[in-house]
Amino acid sequence: MKVQKKDVKKNLLPYLMMALIMLTIIYFLNVMNKKVNVLTYDKFMTQVVDGNIKKMELTPRESAQIYEVRGKLKGYKSNEEFFARLPLSEQIMKRLVEASEEQSFKFTTVADPESSTLVLVLINVLPIVLLIGGAFFLFSKQMAGNKSSLDFGKSKAKLNSEKNKVTFKNVAGLKEEKEEVKELIDFLKNPKKFQKLGARIPKGVLLFGPPGTGKTLLARAVAGEANVPFYFISGSDFVELFVGVGASRVRDMFQQAKRNAPCLIFIDEIDAVGRQRGTGLGGGHDEREQTLNQLLTEMDGFGENEGIIIIAATNRPDVLDPALLRPGRFDRQITVNLPDIKGREEILGVHAKNKILADTVTLANIAKRTPGFSGADLENLLNEAALLAVRRNKEKITMSEIDEATDRVLMGPAKTSRKYSEKDRQLVSYHEAGHAVIGLKLANASDVQKVTIIPRGAAGGYNMMIPTEEKLCQTKSDLLEEITGLLGGRSAEEIVFKEISTGAHNDFEKATKIARAMVTEYGMSDLGPLQFEQQEGSVFLGRDYNKAQHFSNEVANEIDMEIRKIINNCHKHAKEIIKDNMALLKLIAEALLEYETLTKEQIDYLVEHKKMPDEDENTSLEAMSITKLKELAKKKGIKNYSKMNKAELLKELDN
């Protein structure tokens, strides 16, 4: 309630100030518009004798021995008045009283304001009080500013509250990683158990892996399970403009932690402060290096930090300083990888607790169709599906929303308003059908899950292919078939249209990258098992700016020839497969022109029965062909239905 009263005062204060300013402005406007005629004693008495007084107000000023007279004369306007000063005399007062009785004008007297003690106090004391109060206010504000400046070097680490407590129940899909950090919890709860056998618990644990895999969540769960104070801070909170501030904050953070030991300190994005020292074209970064030096000293220097365990997270372990990763500092390094199919199902189960899913939706199927998704991606997928279900006025989330959400996460929203010619539609259809045919006919190829010609992002269409099983390593034949699949679209264009387009731009980029890695990194060429290049160059100067070339120009020419040979052989193989399966290519392309999107079930039915499954009343609008949708639009009396694309037809039919 106190907070609410303060808020009410804060909200009313601007309006009160505005009202005071408006009243002051109105008062001064009235004063400025008023016309005052100053009369001498003789002129005033003449007006009294002549009977021109309309009303009069008399104020005695005993200190000055005068009367101040204000009033109006006959013929004055509403904003006009007179003012006169008269000697302080009983005779003058008697004469004015007699004149008011004879002439019947309004005559009033006002007590001398100087005779009031309150007025004297207000006049003499109030200015002094206001002056002292203003000086005290300015002084207190200055002290508050100095206090905040004194806190400039204090740690910004925050203590986690009990309200946001996270346990291992909230962390899914990280079985091995949770086992690794359970020792930290046991140590914090029962340190004597380890000390008895002379075991030393790691002083620091570094969690690294791709973004969105749950590194921060895992650290919070460790603190929640251990039930100890948990300080969390970002690496960027240490870095400031002034040299030495970051180091001061590190010292203060460890001092706070020592007072609350045993405890945990979590530093998120530690690469912001823990980068390698003395790198880059311009030398080092003094403030960052000072902060890093202090952090190294606090973790393992002359002083002991018993009962303090540091957990740090980063997705850039390659840029960290070697001194930070040595034993005694970050003793244990845990890789938090992307979840496998079982882990994805568990993660989906956690995020689906507050979602209403249709009976046809199974988390196992979603997990199977989302390889390479992180925990954050899966949470975003279910959230996007829920938003789509609300947008479509559905009571439950169906597989239609799941499919659309998957496409949105991977490629972005569909560009349903984009118009392109029939020739472009045919080109895109045969291009995507070429990818699908290669995927269906290659022995070790991935399963074709979805083919669409609806543009998303920068792509005119795309082909979703998922491996039949998740592999730890890829063989040479796997990589060659992947390149062959990427070249299937261009091969179909060449065979069907006898010309080529820019649609295969991204396919070439991926294929060339794979082929180059095969030759220069994986040793999968006639050059032998040699590594000529590494994936990462100088991380501070741009990846390829200062990349060292450890081979001669002759070898560089041989590398180019090997890459070209791999691409050409795969391209030749792709064209052979397309030519041998022209009927299947045409079948899939024509189905894409009619339906725009084909699912795995529809593709399997099409391959087996050489036609699409029959449409009935149970078929959803999204799965219907354009011809069927136009028939429904005609029955509903929708105008210009014949010129609409599928997205426009669906929108009109939904309305």
Side-chain angles (χ1 to χ4, degrees):
M1 294 298 294
K2 291 182 179 179
V3 176
Q4 292 179 354
K5 288 182 180 179
K6 288 182 179 179
D7 291 340
V8 170
K9 290 180 181 179
K10 287 181 179 179
N11 293 332
L12 287 178
L13 187 60
Y15 295 103
L16 292 175
M17 292 295 295
M18 189 177 295
L20 182 62
I21 293 171
M22 292 298 295
L23 290 173
T24 306
I25 292 172
I26 293 170
Y27 172 78
F28 278 108
L29 287 175
N30 289 334
V31 171
M32 292 175 65
N33 290 331
K34 189 176 288 187
K35 183 179 179 182
V36 179
N37 297 320
V38 180
L39 303 179
T40 62
Y41 172 74
D42 294 337
K43 287 183 179 180
F44 171 73
M45 296 305 297
T46 301
Q47 297 293 339
V48 172
V49 172
D50 294 342
N52 293 330
I53 303 297
K54 190 175 180 181
K55 71 174 183 177
M56 182 172 59
E57 180 184 275
L58 185 142
T59 304
R61 297 285 186 181
E62 294 183 0
S63 60
Q65 293 294 307
I66 60 171
Y67 288 119
E68 289 184 352
V69 184
R70 297 178 183 274
K72 285 185 175 292
L73 299 178
K74 293 178 180 179
Y76 271 17
K77 297 179 181 179
S78 59
N79 65 335
E80 193 174 3
E81 66 177 19
F82 70 83
F83 174 77
R85 288 188 175 90
L86 311 178
L88 187 67
S89 170
E90 292 184 2
Q91 295 179 352
I92 293 175
M93 173 64 75
K94 184 178 179 181
R95 188 173 179 182
L96 292 176
V97 171
E98 291 175 352
S100 67
E101 293 176 351
E102 293 175 359
Q103 301 173 15
S104 301
F105 62 81
K106 186 178 180 181
F107 178 57
T108 57
T109 58
V110 179
D112 187 359
E114 296 180 359
S115 64
S116 173
T117 305
L118 179 62
V119 173
L120 286 173
V121 170
L122 291 176
I123 293 174
N124 297 307
V125 178
L126 185 61
I128 299 174
V129 171
L130 291 175
L131 184 63
I132 295 173
F136 179 77
F137 176 75
L138 293 174
F139 181 74
S140 62
K141 293 288 288 183
Q142 185 68 24
M143 288 298 295
N146 290 336
K147 185 178 179 181
S148 62
S149 64
L150 292 174
D151 292 339
F152 192 63
K154 297 293 183 181
S155 170
K156 292 186 177 182
K158 298 177 182 178
L159 187 64
N160 192 36
S161 63
E162 290 292 328
K163 296 180 180 178
N164 301 323
K165 191 173 181 180
V166 176
T167 63
F168 283 153
K169 293 180 180 179
N170 305 107
V171 182
L174 299 175
K175 184 178 179 180
E176 292 79 10
E177 289 82 354
K178 285 189 285 189
E179 291 293 332
E180 285 290 319
V181 296
K182 277 184 178 178
E183 286 183 2
L184 305 180
I185 300 169
D186 293 339
F187 172 76
L188 292 170
K189 289 182 176 179
N190 187 14
K192 293 182 180 179
K193 175 182 174 182
F194 295 84
Q195 295 170 356
K196 184 178 179 180
L197 295 177
R200 179 183 60 81
I201 202 69
K203 291 185 177 180
V205 177
L206 180 66
L207 306 174
F208 60 89
T213 49
K215 299 183 290 294
T216 305
L217 185 65
L218 183 61
R220 292 178 60 190
V222 172
E225 291 287 342
N227 197 24
V228 297
F230 176 62
Y231 291 94
F232 60 95
I233 190 171
S234 173
S236 58
D237 288 333
F238 293 113
V239 182
E240 286 288 348
L241 175 65
F242 305 106
V243 176
V245 175
S248 174
R249 289 178 178 174
V250 171
R251 287 192 295 269
D252 186 67
M253 180 180 68
F254 276 89
Q255 287 174 4
Q256 292 182 33
K258 289 175 184 177
R259 289 194 292 267
N260 294 279
C263 69
L264 285 168
I265 298 176
F266 176 63
I267 305 175
D268 200 8
E269 305 297 342
I270 194 173
D271 53 275
V273 69
R275 291 192 172 215
Q276 297 176 21
R277 291 167 289 183
T279 52
L281 286 173
H285 186 293
D286 287 341
E287 163 62 2
R288 184 183 290 132
E289 291 189 5
Q290 291 269 15
T291 308
L292 175 58
N293 291 338
Q294 187 64 46
L295 181 62
L296 296 174
T297 304
E298 292 289 346
M299 289 187 70
D300 188 28
F302 281 101
E304 291 292 333
N305 290 321
E306 292 295 336
I308 301 175
I309 297 176
I310 300 177
I311 302 177
T314 181
N315 47 36
R316 298 285 306 280
D318 55 305
V319 304
L320 295 180
D321 194 272
L324 201 61
L325 304 177
R326 74 158 175 82
R329 289 187 177 127
F330 283 108
D331 306 81
R332 184 168 297 178
Q333 299 174 25
I334 301 174
T335 304
V336 185
N337 284 319
L338 293 170
D340 56 10
I341 184 169
K342 186 178 179 181
R344 292 195 297 273
E345 186 175 353
E346 293 176 1
I347 293 170
L348 287 168
V350 172
H351 295 302
K353 287 181 179 178
N354 62 339
K355 308 286 192 303
I356 302 175
L357 302 176
D359 296 335
T360 56
V361 177
T362 58
L363 299 181
N365 288 339
I366 301 175
K368 185 178 179 181
R369 300 172 62 178
T370 51
F373 276 51
S374 66
D377 292 331
L378 295 171
E379 190 275 334
N380 187 34
L381 185 148
L382 289 180
N383 185 61
E384 287 287 345
L387 293 173
L388 286 169
V390 173
R391 193 180 303 172
R392 295 173 180 178
N393 297 319
K394 292 186 177 181
E395 296 181 355
K396 295 182 179 181
I397 301 172
T398 65
M399 279 307 299
S400 176
E401 285 75 45
I402 297 292
D403 287 338
E404 176 64 21
T406 305
D407 295 340
R408 280 171 171 263
V409 173
L410 288 173
M411 304 289 293
K415 304 294 181 65
T416 54
S417 61
R418 183 182 295 178
K419 299 279 188 179
Y420 52 98
S421 65
E422 188 62 28
K423 182 180 179 181
D424 287 338
R425 290 185 79 245
Q426 289 184 355
L427 186 66
V428 174
S429 298
Y430 276 95
H431 180 100
E432 299 303 331
H435 288 304
V437 169
I438 300 294
L440 290 168
K441 293 301 176 181
L442 286 178
N444 298 322
S446 302
D447 284 342
V448 180
Q449 294 290 326
K450 188 175 185 179
V451 185
T452 181
I453 60 171
I454 297 175
R456 289 181 182 272
Y462 79 98
N463 193 320
M464 182 189 294
M465 301 177 70
I466 297 175
T468 53
E469 59 180 6
E470 296 186 19
K471 300 179 181 179
L472 185 62
C473 299
Q474 286 183 296
T475 63
K476 181 178 180 180
S477 59
D478 291 337
L479 294 174
L480 291 174
E481 288 190 357
E482 188 175 348
I483 295 173
T484 304
L486 290 168
L487 299 175
R490 167 56 69 88
S491 301
E493 291 178 18
E494 292 177 344
I495 294 170
V496 176
F497 299 100
K498 308 300 181 185
E499 62 179 354
I500 56 179
S501 70
T502 59
H505 171 269
N506 188 246
D507 298 332
F508 295 156
E509 181 181 351
K510 293 178 181 178
T512 306
K513 186 176 180 180
I514 296 171
R516 186 169 193 86
M518 290 176 65
V519 176
T520 61
E521 297 178 34
Y522 308 146
M524 294 180 178
S525 69
D526 293 340
L527 295 180
L530 297 173
Q531 187 179 65
F532 299 101
E533 294 177 355
Q534 295 180 351
Q535 289 185 352
E536 298 175 2
S538 176
V539 295
F540 299 96
L541 307 178
R543 292 286 179 184
D544 299 320
Y545 181 80
N546 195 31
K547 183 181 286 187
Q549 181 173 316
H550 302 293
F551 48 84
S552 63
N553 292 332
E554 290 78 8
V555 174
N557 183 50
E558 291 182 22
I559 290 173
D560 293 338
M561 291 176 64
E562 287 294 324
I563 294 172
R564 191 179 297 113
K565 184 169 71 173
I566 290 173
I567 296 293
N568 289 338
N569 289 339
C570 291
H571 188 200
K572 182 180 178 181
H573 189 201
K575 291 175 73 173
E576 290 174 355
I577 295 173
I578 296 294
K579 288 178 180 178
D580 294 339
N581 296 276
M582 286 298 295
L584 180 60
L585 177 73
K586 185 177 180 181
L587 193 65
I588 296 175
E590 289 178 352
L592 280 171
L593 288 169
E594 185 66 19
Y595 290 83
E596 291 191 347
T597 300
L598 300 178
T599 63
K600 181 180 181 345
E601 294 75 19
Q602 289 174 322
I603 294 171
D604 292 342
Y605 189 93
L606 186 64
V607 173
E608 184 178 353
H609 299 90
K610 309 303 180 187
K611 66 173 186 177
M612 290 292 290
D614 295 331
E615 298 172 4
D616 53 25
E617 295 179 355
N618 296 325
T619 305
S620 63
L621 291 176
E622 290 84 0
M624 287 185 180
S625 64
I626 295 177
T627 304
K628 186 68 175 178
L629 292 174
K630 287 183 177 180
E631 291 177 4
L632 293 175
K634 184 178 180 181
K635 290 179 181 179
K636 286 194 173 186
I638 297 174
K639 297 180 180 180
N640 299 324
Y641 68 89
S642 59
K643 297 181 181 179
M644 294 181 182
N645 58 27
K646 189 172 182 178
E648 293 169 336
L649 287 167
L650 289 172
K651 185 177 179 181
E652 292 294 331
L653 290 170
D654 284 337
N655 295 334

